[in-house]
């Protein structure tokens, strides 16, 4: 209840804020009505279940969520996933998967994974939302044009079937659908009606038209679903079996993943519009509670709704009271006006979803990435988009994130430099020691950047380019922020190989984090404690001492060899004289 607590501290529940939140909540409730029914039908369930979902989820997220402005309910992003789950597992399977997804979201919130949205690249998000938009748009052709039953399991098969059926469109249904689309789009541009939701205007006008003229062959909520039951839903725990639960683990994680992305995106949008700041972890907990409760009252998966949240803010909503009022308005409509819903044509809901799909597609953002983003981001965008449309949303997001991650790793690996330090590179250290150049027997390799599995090849390649082995080699790790297991293993292999070739290896400059890992992996033991230094200057100083000792040893040995040579030459001369 962080959002409510923060709103109380800010004084947003005071009397002067009541009116603005009641007005905003009422408008959002009216906007949510046609959308909830449209999303429910498109998801393969009854229209009233969409209203139940909007009521329960809207109330739960407003009370338990991490954003004081978030409006939750069924959304267009879920349509593709939920319709597939409903088709395969039935409505009960959808509700069980939603319940499981709720617990997953709560666990994600308690695990402090609310920052998950930061790790999904923008091209992936834009790609799969645009793909969902295309699927929703094409999927609504049947009700928009009044077509017969569409065949096909995959998108391309359904699209071909729809194209073949288009010549047999139903004239009255299509006319009402086009008029609905016109009203949804134009209402906002008519003076005096700018604040009246276009979907509501279309719903009322088209429903009245159909109820008056009773056009034959136009499918309505009454003819397709038997109307909407009047009254509130009853509490009922969905029946399930353990094999069913196991089979729904995958769909549940899919709902949770998309719900987390959608709700956190909506919260970020709300913060940008209002200047507030949400608690992402608490938002996941709130969304989880909502998805646990909605199936218990006949609903299905819900998440933060960007369009309804934006509508709330534009109309003055500034506290969770607006979300609570939004749910109350839907309760009133359900209790007192449910019988009137029988005459609502399905084509008006399809027209509303056409506009929803257009807004989801983010055509301008999509085009901007296509024309101005780096080539790799364009590839990620297109791969995610086409996989969403022609394969599966989960596959699309997974592949998109994997490609983005691999691209990032490649860029990170290319940013790692392993190079031989010249005298100019270590001028300050040499000056401190009173030197101008390093002895030829000492070579210094500097590693700059994160030393992880993608960068080990750089070190191996750099060392391989050394044609002659030096007597001493210093590996500087001053600019290495972290090192992973592969980097440690590579260091061990390199050090072992050099030691076998009688090269003395020293290491310097590792930060505390890297040093701990080096000690744990046994690298420092392999080097010898005396050959690991925190400071590069100390390493150079120690090497110079070692080098001087070896030079003294060589002088003594050279003197001994010269004396021996002279002794044996004198003996040889004496022997020659005796012979002569």
């Amino acid at each position: 209840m962080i959002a409510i607590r923060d709103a109380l501290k800010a004084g947003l529940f005071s009397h002067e804020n009541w009116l603005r939140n009641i007005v905003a909540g009422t408008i959002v409730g009216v906007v949510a009505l046609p959308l909830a029914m449209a999303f429910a039908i498109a998801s393969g369930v009854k229209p009233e279940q969409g209203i139940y979902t909007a009521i329960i989820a809207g109330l739960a997220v407003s009370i338990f969520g991490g954003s004081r402005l978030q409006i939750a309910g069924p959304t267009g992003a879920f349509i593709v996933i939920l319709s597939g789950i409903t088709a395969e597992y039935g409505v009960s399977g959808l509700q069980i998967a939603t319940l499981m997804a709720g617990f997953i979201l709560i666990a994600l919130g308690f695990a402090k994974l609310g920052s998950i949205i930061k790790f999904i690249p923008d091209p992936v998000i834009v790609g799969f939302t645009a793909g969902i938009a295309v699927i929703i748009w094409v999927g609504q052709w049947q009700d928009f044009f009044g077509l017969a039953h569409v065949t096909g399991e995959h998108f391309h098969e359904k699209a071909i079937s729809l194209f073949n059926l288009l010549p047999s469109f139903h004239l009255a249904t299509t006319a009402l659908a086009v008029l609905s689309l016109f009203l949804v789009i134009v209402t906002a541009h008519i003076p005096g009606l700018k604040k009246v939701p276009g979907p509501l205007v279309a719903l009322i006008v088209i429903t009245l038209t159909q109820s008056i003229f009773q056009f034959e062959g136009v499918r309505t909520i009454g003819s397709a679903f038997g109307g909407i039951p009047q009254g509130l839903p009853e509490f009922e725990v969905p029946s399930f079996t353990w094999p069913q639960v196991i089979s729904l683990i995958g769909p549940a994680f899919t709902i949770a993943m998309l719900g987390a992305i959608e709700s956190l995106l909506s919260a970020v949008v709300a913060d940008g519009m209002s200047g507030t700041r949400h608690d992402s972890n608490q938002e996941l907990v709130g969304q989880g509670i909502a998805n646990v409760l909605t199936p218990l009252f006949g609903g299905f998966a819900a998440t933060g709704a960007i369009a309804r949240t934006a509508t709330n803010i534009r109309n003055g909503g500034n506290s969770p009271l607006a979300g609570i009022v939004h749910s109350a308005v839907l309760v009133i409509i359900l209790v007192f006006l449910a019988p009137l819903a029988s005459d609502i044509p399905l084509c008006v809901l399809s027209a509303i979803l056409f506009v929803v799909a257009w807004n989801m597609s983010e055509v301008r953002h999509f085009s901007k990435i296509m024309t101005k983003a780096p080539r790799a981001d364009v590839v990620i965008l297109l791969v995610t988009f086409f996989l969403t449309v022609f394969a599966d949303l989960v596959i699309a997001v997974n592949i998109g994130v994997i490609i983005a991650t691999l691209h990032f790793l490649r860029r990170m690996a290319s940013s790692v430099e392993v190079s031989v330090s010249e005298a100019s590179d270590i001028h300050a250290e040499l000056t401190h020691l009173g030197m101008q150049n390093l002895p030829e027997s000492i070579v210094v390799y500097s590693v700059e950047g994160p030393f992880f599995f993608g960068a080990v090849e750089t070190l191996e390649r750099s060392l391989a380019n050394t044609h002659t082995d030096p007597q001493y080699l210093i590996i500087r790790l001053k600019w290495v922020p972290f090192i992973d297991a592969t980097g440690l293993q590579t260091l061990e292999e390199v050090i072992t190989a050099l030691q076998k070739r009688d090269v003395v290896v020293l290491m310097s400059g590792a930060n505390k984090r890297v040093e701990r890992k080096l000690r744990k992996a046994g690298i420092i033991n392999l080097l010898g404690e005396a050959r690991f230094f925190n400071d590069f200057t100390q390493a150079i100083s120690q090497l110079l001492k070692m080098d001087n000792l070896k030079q003294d040893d060589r002088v003594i040995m050279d003197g001994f060899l010269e004396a021996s040579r002279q002794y044996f030459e004198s003996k040889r001369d004496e022997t020659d004289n005796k012979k002569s």
Side-chain angles (χ1 to χ4, degrees), residues 426-456:
I426 53 176
H427 176 72
E429 289 87 348
L430 293 176
T431 303
H432 179 74
L433 294 170
M435 302 173 59
Q436 293 296 323
N437 294 292
L438 277 176
E440 293 182 0
S441 59
I442 301 174
V443 174
V444 178
Y445 272 92
S446 296
V447 183
E448 300 182 29
F451 196 49
F452 67 111
F453 63 90
V456 295

Side-chain angles (χ1 to χ4, degrees), residues 28 31 35 39 69-77 117 125 128-129 258-271 273 283 287 303-314 356 359-360 362:
V28 175
V31 170
L35 293 174
F39 293 146
L69 301 169
Q70 183 85 279
I71 303 295
T75 64
I117 188 67
I125 295 175
F128 81 71
T129 51
L258 186 57
I261 295 171
E262 190 78 2
S263 62
L264 294 176
L265 275 176
S266 180
V268 169
V269 170
D271 288 347
M273 293 180 67
E283 183 62 25
Q287 295 291 338
T303 185
I306 295 176
R308 274 159 277 173
T309 299
T311 302
N312 177 35
I313 297 169
R314 291 193 190 104
V356 170
N359 293 332
M360 280 186 65
E362 296 188 77

Side-chain angles (χ1 to χ4, degrees), residues 412 416 447-451 477-483 511-514 517:
M412 286 289 289
V416 177
V447 183
E448 300 182 29
F451 196 49
L477 301 177
K478 180 180 179 180
W479 299 281
V480 176
F482 66 86
I483 188 169
N511 62 40
K512 294 297 182 184
R513 182 181 179 186
V514 173
K517 292 188 176 183

